[in-house]
Amino acid sequence: MPRTILLGDEAVATAAIHSGVTGGYSYPGTPSTEILETFQKLGRRVPFHKVHAHWCANEKTAYEAAMGHSYAGHRSMVSFKHVGLNVAMDPYMSSAITGCNGGMVIAVADDPGMHSSQSEQDSRFLSHFALLPCLEPWDQQAAYDWTRAAFDLSEEFKLPVMVRLVTRLAHSRASVELQPPLETVPAVPPVGDWRGWTLLPANAKPNYERLLSKQERLSQRLEEGPYFQLDETGNRSYGIIATGLGVNYVKEAFDRYNVRHPLLCVGAYPVPDALLRKMFHMCDCILLVEEGMPLLERILHAAGLTTRELLRGRLTGDLPRSGELTPEIVATALGVKVPSEDVLAARTSDQPLPVVSRPPQLCAGCSHIDVFTTIDKITGGNNNARVFGDIGCYTLAALPPYDTMHTCVDMGASIPMAIGASQAGLSPAIAVIGDSTFTHSGMTGLADAINQHANVVVIISDNSTTAMTGGQPDIATGEDLVRIVKGLGIDEDHVHFIDANKAHHAEMEDALRREVEYEGPSVLVFRRPCIHNPRRDKAEAAELESAQKEVQQQRLQAANKQAAGELAAEAEAVPEGRPKIRDSFGPDFKRDLIMAGVGGQGILVIAHTVGITATRLGMYVKQAETHGMSQRGGAVISHVRYGVNPVHSDLVERGQGDILLAVEPMEALRWTGYLGPHGHLVASVKPVVNVPNYPELEEVLAHIQSFAAHTLLDADRLASQAGWAKSANMVLLGAVAPLLGFDDRDINLTLEEVWRPKGEKVITVNQRAYQYGRDAGLFYRALIEGGVAPADALVLASETEPSPDALHFVPAWAETLARDAGRSIVNAIHESNRPASVDPSQLAAIME
Ligand code: SF4
């Protein structure tokens, strides 16, 4: 069957479309956003039935819409992040009692390590609490296969089924083998006794008994599936029970450190007792590896199956109580000495690395800046003033240079917290909330403020989108918000609607000053669309157009096939299975890459290009990405691992990476801890100075040059010479290409595929940028290997001028340098005010 490379989120969405789901509902939140985004994109391309995919007001309404869709007999999916499930708890708990009709899946993405969340929680506890089945895939293939199975399971047991992801799975890519999609799933119309859906106590009680009675059969049914794997081989002094993503970390630790113990992989709940008992009988002691909170560990202790001495895990301190796991953490818990600390210790110099923190920031030109500048102007210096914040890009105002937000607790908390604080004597109490968050759960808070005539000023910072998660549409903006606010009952005299820009600063200040003095609730809607909206709108229009074309084409093809009587399976046209890996790679070929940069520099595109290329060549690939808030000008990192043998963990081990590729020089130094003793560092010299204490560039570059294997180049300059300043990431891809193990042809094919939607011109310019980068990298490395000091090599490399017509520049550059050596090199090196490390007359020989 066809293979494709998918994020965990994309695998779930693709499975839903392939399962005939016709209703997908969600509210965006990292790390789950891409589930509905992908579902929407694929749903538009389903030719013969309508797929509804909606961003709802909040997770509760999304959940209820999915329940309604299922009630009507169609398959439905609701998706959100873990804290979104908190918002949807009411219908979620009730849905265990009503059950469902059409298959219903709850896709929840948890965020262990709190990369983009305010709390670390584990949704498995809530499946246990509600007595609903939960599937916990351990890789992208399982995310696809098990989501498809979840719809069948849901219909068999008439219960919603939870599919639990975690950040590292949701935002990590791997190759997935797809199965033929179900063309249609006939809706099962609601029939019979309606009392099951009407939860009066007299109906709810028998329903609950029914739910309890299903548990044993459910457990047996799960045991028959692929959700539990028991490998009894290995040293039985320890047995390991690993759940979900923890399975990968254990397998990776086994392979890396050459240890082996019996392993029970758990991917579904409730877990059959018999399997657990078998492990306890077989092994002296059990290590429980759970990515998240210690659910199974608590269950096992509570069931009296074991003692604290025999069961080790997060509760006993053998694994950290919070945060994400890694193969090294698991190996250490098994008593293995991991080498990464030795590598790092050997590399530590007396000089600390010149690296400063680079927190995410509001984009230059963002309207929230105008809002917080206004607040600061009016309340600055008033020690009693407090700004109660909410969740969105504007939460970044809690950080320097603004420092103008004092709380951020949960969606919609700003207004009720301001009410409570004002009633406790704080004044002025200002609530700041975005347009999307206001319609999510701010309106009820405002209704309280009006009802209690609370002394609060509510500022709706309206950017006409849900910007923080990538710009999903919101349900009210501009005048619509004003109408909602007035409809809720705010006095007309205390509602202001002002454009948030410099020309209106005086008006914004005046309105805020007046409302701060007013004793009662008031609302200021400060509006200016997010500066990225036009680009997103354009992309959305192009995507819609392309989806429509595809649907027309599919319908035409189907009609033609029918006319010709050849209804061949679509899949036949697509290459099947994993392609054979070329022998030239050898039996142990693998690469572990770290890619680093600043949000917006396009490192994900580089990572994706490498991942697609490796997948097309038949390799095993894992690619983990940073999504969410960190992309707002903050530091971002991507791990890419590929090779001819299975890759379990998506994370490169510290001190073991083969290549560190950085689109920004200080970001290179931030992640050098991942580089192995023979690892190669490739970086661009152009800094992104968006923090006030950015270190001296010379010092940063000198540290990079102290690495024996490194390549430096000015990717921005070469990108401009290639024809598009934004393709600096492709220049870097070119510079690292000879180290990746692929042919140029392989990468150029992927570049064509990746940039195809943007047209021929963009493909050409990116391929050219790639070529310039490749030759600049080769040139720099040749100089270093020829004995030129890194500082001089950088000066010489900056003299290079690629020609758009040539295929390879290195020989031409070498020739030019040799010919003009007396002038260009000596001048260049003299300008840099350092003794030259190379005799110009030797250059031709070096280049040969
Ligand atoms: S994405 Fe939009 S709303 Fe968010 S910080 Fe940037 S400009 Fe502001």
Side-chain angles (χ1 to χ4, degrees), residues 317-336:
D318 291 74
L319 293 170
R321 185 65 181 78
S322 64
E324 293 176 299
L325 298 173
T326 63
E328 301 92 86
I329 291 175
V330 173
T332 305
L334 289 171
V336 175

mmCIF file of all heavy atoms in Angstrom, residues 317-336:
data_model
loop_
_atom_site.group_PDB
_atom_site.id
_atom_site.type_symbol
_atom_site.label_atom_id
_atom_site.label_comp_id
_atom_site.label_asym_id
_atom_site.label_seq_id
_atom_site.Cartn_x
_atom_site.Cartn_y
_atom_site.Cartn_z
ATOM 1 N N GLY A 317 10.527 7.356 42.150
ATOM 2 C CA GLY A 317 11.697 8.199 41.887
ATOM 3 C C GLY A 317 12.713 7.546 40.957
ATOM 4 O O GLY A 317 13.766 8.122 40.684
ATOM 5 N N ASP A 318 12.434 6.340 40.459
ATOM 6 C CA ASP A 318 13.372 5.710 39.512
ATOM 7 C C ASP A 318 13.328 6.418 38.168
ATOM 8 O O ASP A 318 14.278 6.389 37.400
ATOM 9 C CB ASP A 318 13.015 4.233 39.338
ATOM 10 C CG ASP A 318 13.311 3.446 40.591
ATOM 11 O OD1 ASP A 318 12.552 3.583 41.563
ATOM 12 O OD2 ASP A 318 14.326 2.755 40.607
ATOM 13 N N LEU A 319 12.182 7.019 37.872
ATOM 14 C CA LEU A 319 12.049 7.889 36.695
ATOM 15 C C LEU A 319 11.583 9.244 37.212
ATOM 16 O O LEU A 319 10.950 9.320 38.276
ATOM 17 C CB LEU A 319 11.013 7.321 35.713
ATOM 18 C CG LEU A 319 11.390 5.997 35.034
ATOM 19 C CD1 LEU A 319 10.194 5.413 34.293
ATOM 20 C CD2 LEU A 319 12.552 6.206 34.062
ATOM 21 N N PRO A 320 11.875 10.345 36.478
ATOM 22 C CA PRO A 320 11.473 11.661 36.979
ATOM 23 C C PRO A 320 9.956 11.753 37.163
ATOM 24 O O PRO A 320 9.200 11.171 36.383
ATOM 25 C CB PRO A 320 11.936 12.622 35.883
ATOM 26 C CG PRO A 320 12.802 11.845 34.975
ATOM 27 C CD PRO A 320 12.538 10.401 35.178
ATOM 28 N N ARG A 321 9.537 12.465 38.177
ATOM 29 C CA ARG A 321 8.108 12.561 38.494
ATOM 30 C C ARG A 321 7.346 13.364 37.441
ATOM 31 O O ARG A 321 6.142 13.187 37.271
ATOM 32 C CB ARG A 321 7.949 13.215 39.871
ATOM 33 C CG ARG A 321 6.541 13.298 40.406
ATOM 34 C CD ARG A 321 5.965 11.900 40.659
ATOM 35 N NE ARG A 321 4.596 11.957 41.159
ATOM 36 C CZ ARG A 321 3.528 12.179 40.394
ATOM 37 N NH1 ARG A 321 3.685 12.348 39.093
ATOM 38 N NH2 ARG A 321 2.323 12.231 40.903
ATOM 39 N N SER A 322 8.042 14.285 36.734
ATOM 40 C CA SER A 322 7.336 15.107 35.742
ATOM 41 C C SER A 322 8.154 15.164 34.450
ATOM 42 O O SER A 322 9.293 14.716 34.401
ATOM 43 C CB SER A 322 7.146 16.532 36.272
ATOM 44 O OG SER A 322 8.414 17.135 36.453
ATOM 45 N N GLY A 323 7.537 15.712 33.412
ATOM 46 C CA GLY A 323 8.259 15.957 32.159
ATOM 47 C C GLY A 323 8.328 14.743 31.256
ATOM 48 O O GLY A 323 7.803 13.671 31.569
ATOM 49 N N GLU A 324 8.991 14.955 30.111
ATOM 50 C CA GLU A 324 9.089 13.891 29.114
ATOM 51 C C GLU A 324 10.209 12.921 29.453
ATOM 52 O O GLU A 324 11.183 13.289 30.093
ATOM 53 C CB GLU A 324 9.391 14.508 27.742
ATOM 54 C CG GLU A 324 8.269 15.345 27.200
ATOM 55 C CD GLU A 324 8.670 16.000 25.901
ATOM 56 O OE1 GLU A 324 9.638 16.782 25.908
ATOM 57 O OE2 GLU A 324 8.029 15.723 24.880
ATOM 58 N N LEU A 325 10.055 11.714 28.939
ATOM 59 C CA LEU A 325 11.115 10.723 29.095
ATOM 60 C C LEU A 325 12.013 10.761 27.863
ATOM 61 O O LEU A 325 11.663 11.372 26.846
ATOM 62 C CB LEU A 325 10.504 9.332 29.261
ATOM 63 C CG LEU A 325 9.617 9.150 30.493
ATOM 64 C CD1 LEU A 325 8.943 7.793 30.456
ATOM 65 C CD2 LEU A 325 10.432 9.311 31.774
ATOM 66 N N THR A 326 13.152 10.102 27.958
ATOM 67 C CA THR A 326 14.053 9.939 26.812
ATOM 68 C C THR A 326 14.675 8.549 26.927
ATOM 69 O O THR A 326 14.636 7.955 28.011
ATOM 70 C CB THR A 326 15.205 10.975 26.834
ATOM 71 O OG1 THR A 326 15.978 10.729 28.018
ATOM 72 C CG2 THR A 326 14.705 12.404 26.836
ATOM 73 N N PRO A 327 15.292 8.061 25.857
ATOM 74 C CA PRO A 327 15.968 6.765 25.969
ATOM 75 C C PRO A 327 17.059 6.780 27.045
ATOM 76 O O PRO A 327 17.263 5.791 27.744
ATOM 77 C CB PRO A 327 16.579 6.559 24.575
ATOM 78 C CG PRO A 327 15.726 7.382 23.666
ATOM 79 C CD PRO A 327 15.298 8.566 24.477
ATOM 80 N N GLU A 328 17.741 7.923 27.201
ATOM 81 C CA GLU A 328 18.806 7.985 28.207
ATOM 82 C C GLU A 328 18.248 7.849 29.611
ATOM 83 O O GLU A 328 18.833 7.182 30.470
ATOM 84 C CB GLU A 328 19.585 9.310 28.129
ATOM 85 C CG GLU A 328 20.251 9.568 26.794
ATOM 86 C CD GLU A 328 19.361 10.362 25.870
ATOM 87 O OE1 GLU A 328 19.353 11.589 25.932
ATOM 88 O OE2 GLU A 328 18.635 9.740 25.065
ATOM 89 N N ILE A 329 17.089 8.486 29.849
ATOM 90 C CA ILE A 329 16.475 8.410 31.183
ATOM 91 C C ILE A 329 16.090 6.961 31.470
ATOM 92 O O ILE A 329 16.329 6.446 32.571
ATOM 93 C CB ILE A 329 15.239 9.340 31.261
ATOM 94 C CG1 ILE A 329 15.680 10.806 31.218
ATOM 95 C CG2 ILE A 329 14.431 9.066 32.515
ATOM 96 C CD1 ILE A 329 14.536 11.804 31.173
ATOM 97 N N VAL A 330 15.520 6.303 30.474
ATOM 98 C CA VAL A 330 15.111 4.908 30.669
ATOM 99 C C VAL A 330 16.348 4.043 30.919
ATOM 100 O O VAL A 330 16.375 3.218 31.841
ATOM 101 C CB VAL A 330 14.327 4.395 29.435
ATOM 102 C CG1 VAL A 330 14.059 2.907 29.552
ATOM 103 C CG2 VAL A 330 13.024 5.166 29.275
ATOM 104 N N ALA A 331 17.384 4.258 30.097
ATOM 105 C CA ALA A 331 18.604 3.435 30.244
ATOM 106 C C ALA A 331 19.217 3.651 31.627
ATOM 107 O O ALA A 331 19.650 2.698 32.281
ATOM 108 C CB ALA A 331 19.602 3.790 29.149
ATOM 109 N N THR A 332 19.246 4.898 32.076
ATOM 110 C CA THR A 332 19.824 5.180 33.388
ATOM 111 C C THR A 332 19.035 4.452 34.472
ATOM 112 O O THR A 332 19.616 3.905 35.417
ATOM 113 C CB THR A 332 19.827 6.714 33.638
ATOM 114 O OG1 THR A 332 20.503 7.333 32.550
ATOM 115 C CG2 THR A 332 20.526 7.068 34.930
ATOM 116 N N ALA A 333 17.692 4.434 34.329
ATOM 117 C CA ALA A 333 16.870 3.735 35.325
ATOM 118 C C ALA A 333 17.171 2.236 35.336
ATOM 119 O O ALA A 333 16.963 1.561 36.334
ATOM 120 C CB ALA A 333 15.388 3.974 35.035
ATOM 121 N N LEU A 334 17.677 1.729 34.200
ATOM 122 C CA LEU A 334 18.022 0.303 34.127
ATOM 123 C C LEU A 334 19.468 0.039 34.558
ATOM 124 O O LEU A 334 19.982 -1.056 34.416
ATOM 125 C CB LEU A 334 17.822 -0.206 32.689
ATOM 126 C CG LEU A 334 16.375 -0.323 32.235
ATOM 127 C CD1 LEU A 334 16.291 -0.613 30.745
ATOM 128 C CD2 LEU A 334 15.652 -1.416 33.028
ATOM 129 N N GLY A 335 20.126 1.097 35.030
ATOM 130 C CA GLY A 335 21.484 0.937 35.536
ATOM 131 C C GLY A 335 22.560 1.050 34.481
ATOM 132 O O GLY A 335 23.717 0.718 34.732
ATOM 133 N N VAL A 336 22.213 1.551 33.278
ATOM 134 C CA VAL A 336 23.211 1.696 32.215
ATOM 135 C C VAL A 336 23.888 3.053 32.365
ATOM 136 O O VAL A 336 23.231 4.060 32.644
ATOM 137 C CB VAL A 336 22.527 1.632 30.825
ATOM 138 C CG1 VAL A 336 23.532 1.900 29.708
ATOM 139 C CG2 VAL A 336 21.841 0.298 30.637
#
